[in-house]
Amino acid sequence: MQEHLDEAAFHWRQRERALASWEESLEEIAEGDEARLLAHVEGLVIGGAPVARRLLLPALEGEDLWQVGPAALALLGSEGDASLALLLRELTEGPEESRPEIRRALEFSGRSRSEALLLPQVARVGPEAQAMLLEVLAAWQADPGSALPRTLGADDAPALWVAALRSARFTARLVAEGFVRQGLAHAEDSVRCAALETGLILGLREPWQACRRLVGAPDEAGRLARLALALGGEPADVKLLLKAAEEWRLREDALWALGFSGRRAAAEALVNVMQREEAGSRLAAESLAIITGLDLTEHLLRDEPDDEAPSSAEEGTGDTGAATGAWRVPPPPGRVRSASVCAWWQKAQTRFDERGRFVRGAPWSPAAVFAELTRGPACLRPVWALELAVRTRGGLQVATSARAAFQLRQLQGSVALRLDSTPRGFDSLMTA
């Protein structure tokens, strides 16, 4: 049983890393570390009450934080409602360092019967715990209903603001709009960023207009604004991104955003960046590949290993993105031969019309975005998921850190949604 727990902790950690990887896709995560994690968790569940008492409960407050999530998952699978009540208590009253892992386990487990037990707890706990419970509800895509605070003030914790804004995407529209408009004026960057994202998904014009104003901002809201302009902007917006790429403090963020624009002008700018750098820019090359379908394995420098850079989950717990910002550029590994990539572009550029938008060398289409979400690099998936969420006005919000099987069901079920086959600008999607 101890070996099951140790192996589950290893695969839990590997899965969290994979979510921020350039090398793994959703399908590979589902078939690899996640499948192995679930197999070991099932082994712990089979052990029943003796294993829960002697191994899993002590692990919740043990020194190995990577064991907390798998132990919580196994308890949820073996002890039913009693274990859920215990985990909710640990989430709100337990050791501070283990709370993010318990939250991730609850998010991973899915809503099922847990929603009815969790909702009443939100009003009974302090702001920090309240924020965590609302984050869990948002991950489950559950309507928080009356559990969502009716009002929040400027002095309320930013984490509670952010959680409320994320959870508001699944509640009554009037309530959500009120939170967004207050959040856009908030002094805290993380709150403005969450308000921007929620507002875009709801189809509110004010957040979309804010994206153009924030294109030169170096903070997290600025990063999201640049990505939104890439996904749904007009040629004039691409020019704003090209200008941002000339500023050193915005350069990496802008280069990354340009790849999602899918425009030939962006591809040409990325090639120019590579021509100016002796060993080439791997980030520029990755962005170019998103537009053109360039196979980077043919252009890597072979004199150094192509090891993946440590992800944000490398240190501490698996609470990916919380410390560094959900929209920060994930550093790609290795270097490329810039001259080789530029020579490839000289031959390939005639395939790309200046008026079109492309994903991996093919004209943009919902199918192309679905393919990226299923088989593309995991670290890019939150951006593609944002595009679908905006284009469907919240009808399809892919939970990119949820259990892979759940995500795959989301994507398979999306065929019933009516998605425009042409990449309309976000401006035409903003209805309020």
Side-chain angles (χ1 to χ4, degrees):
M1 290 296 109
Q2 181 65 56
E3 185 174 348
H4 273 311
L5 182 58
D6 292 340
E7 289 295 313
F10 172 77
H11 290 295
W12 174 266
R13 182 174 185 172
Q14 290 298 101
R15 180 188 179 276
E16 292 292 311
R17 287 174 169 172
L19 292 174
S21 170
W22 287 89
E23 309 297 330
E24 294 193 59
S25 67
L26 178 66
E27 287 183 342
E28 290 168 333
I29 294 170
E31 296 169 0
D33 286 306
E34 186 170 302
R36 297 182 182 96
L37 163 67
L38 291 171
H40 287 293
V41 168
E42 181 61 23
L44 293 167
V45 171
I46 291 172
V51 170
R53 183 176 63 255
R54 295 176 57 186
L55 190 62
L56 302 181
L57 292 175
L60 293 181
E61 299 185 6
E63 295 183 357
D64 187 347
L65 290 179
W66 291 106
Q67 288 188 352
V68 174
L73 278 179
L75 285 168
L76 285 169
S78 61
E79 295 295 303
D81 291 350
S83 66
L84 178 59
L86 169 69
L87 291 174
L88 289 175
R89 188 163 61 250
E90 288 290 321
L91 184 65
T92 56
E93 302 173 11
E96 185 174 350
E97 60 273 14
S98 67
R99 293 177 191 174
E101 292 297 290
I102 294 175
R103 191 196 88 197
R104 287 288 296 118
L106 287 168
E107 292 172 352
F108 185 87
S109 69
R111 56 197 291 190
S112 61
R113 68 181 189 282
S114 307
E115 183 181 343
L117 294 172
L118 188 149
L119 278 168
Q121 299 297 321
V122 180
R124 301 173 185 169
V125 296
E128 182 182 350
Q130 210 173 13
M132 287 201 170
L133 293 177
L134 287 173
E135 290 283 9
V136 172
L137 288 170
W140 290 349
Q141 302 191 358
D143 184 349
S146 60
L148 190 68
R150 294 295 93 181
T151 58
L152 287 174
D155 295 333
D156 284 297
L160 180 56
W161 264 102
V162 171
L165 281 159
R166 289 174 178 163
S167 188
R169 297 168 199 170
F170 307 100
T171 196
R173 185 178 179 88
L174 284 177
V175 174
E177 288 181 6
F179 272 112
V180 169
R181 293 194 169 96
Q182 292 179 71
L184 288 174
H186 201 279
E188 185 69 30
D189 174 37
S190 61
V191 177
R192 293 195 304 273
C193 186
L196 204 64
E197 183 181 356
T198 297
L200 290 172
I201 292 171
L202 293 176
L204 302 181
R205 191 165 300 280
E206 185 179 350
W208 175 240
Q209 292 171 341
C211 287
R212 292 188 170 117
R213 295 196 303 271
L214 292 169
V215 68
D219 55 19
E220 196 68 11
R223 291 189 185 100
L224 176 55
R226 287 185 282 278
L227 287 168
L229 290 176
L231 295 170
E234 304 297 338
D237 298 310
V238 176
K239 290 181 180 179
L240 292 176
L241 295 175
L242 294 173
K243 184 178 180 180
E246 296 173 359
E247 296 188 36
W248 182 253
R249 63 176 185 166
L250 306 177
R251 180 177 175 276
E252 288 193 353
D253 293 323
L255 291 179
W256 189 39
L258 283 170
F260 295 98
S261 76
R263 306 292 182 176
R264 175 169 171 161
E268 291 171 343
L270 293 165
V271 170
N272 289 338
V273 167
M274 300 184 69
Q275 287 175 329
R276 295 196 300 266
E277 298 189 3
E278 181 180 351
S281 165
R282 179 65 189 265
L283 182 58
E286 290 284 0
S287 288
L288 182 65
I290 296 171
I291 300 171
T292 64
L294 165 72
D295 184 357
L296 283 179
T297 60
E298 299 178 2
H299 305 276
L300 294 175
L301 281 171
R302 303 299 181 186
D303 58 349
E304 59 180 61
D306 187 30
D307 292 332
E308 187 169 355
S311 74
S312 58
E314 184 77 24
E315 300 295 334
T317 71
D319 192 20
T320 54
T324 58
W327 303 107
R328 189 178 294 274
V329 178
R335 296 188 299 163
V336 295
R337 292 181 287 118
S338 59
S340 174
V341 173
C342 294
W344 177 89
W345 172 248
Q346 287 300 315
K347 296 178 181 178
Q349 60 183 318
T350 56
R351 303 203 312 262
F352 299 93
D353 185 274
E354 292 182 357
R355 296 168 296 179
R357 184 182 173 202
F358 300 88
V359 178
R360 300 288 174 193
W364 184 97
S365 67
V369 178
F370 292 158
E372 285 297 300
L373 280 164
T374 305
R375 297 184 292 276
C379 62
L380 307 183
R381 299 183 68 250
V383 184
W384 295 119
L386 173 64
E387 175 162 15
L388 286 183
V390 175
R391 293 194 181 281
T392 61
R393 295 182 177 88
L396 175 58
Q397 299 187 52
V398 179
T400 56
S401 62
R403 190 180 297 212
F406 172 74
Q407 294 188 55
L408 291 170
R409 284 198 302 272
Q410 277 190 300
L411 291 168
Q412 290 163 0
S414 67
V415 295
L417 292 171
R418 297 185 62 184
L419 293 172
D420 199 327
S421 60
T422 58
R424 296 168 58 197
F426 283 179
D427 192 65
S428 66
L429 301 174
M430 302 298 139
T431 57

